Amino acid sequence: MRVEVDRGRCVGAGMCVLTEPAVFDQDDDGTVLLLDPAPPAAGHAAVRDAALVCPAGAITVQDGPR
């Protein structure tokens, strides 16, 4: 799995951080920070959920090799 975020699109809702704090965080302005662009398999379901609940669609998930 490969994860990308579009920080310019982020609206700072924080749903990603609440869903998978091992992969996502927020800066002082509330904009998403990607902590792990290739998370371990144990976190894949939560990362997919975070992408689904992002109100701005700022998270992209690509399945495949790390």
Side-chain angles (χ1 to χ4, degrees), residues 15-53:
M15 296 304 297
C16 56
V17 179
L18 293 173
T19 304
E20 183 51 282
V23 176
F24 305 101
D25 200 355
Q26 290 176 289
D27 65 15
D28 291 339
D29 295 324
T31 304
V32 65
L33 293 173
L34 182 59
L35 302 177
D36 189 353
H44 287 189
V47 170
R48 284 189 192 90
D49 288 345
L52 289 173
V53 300

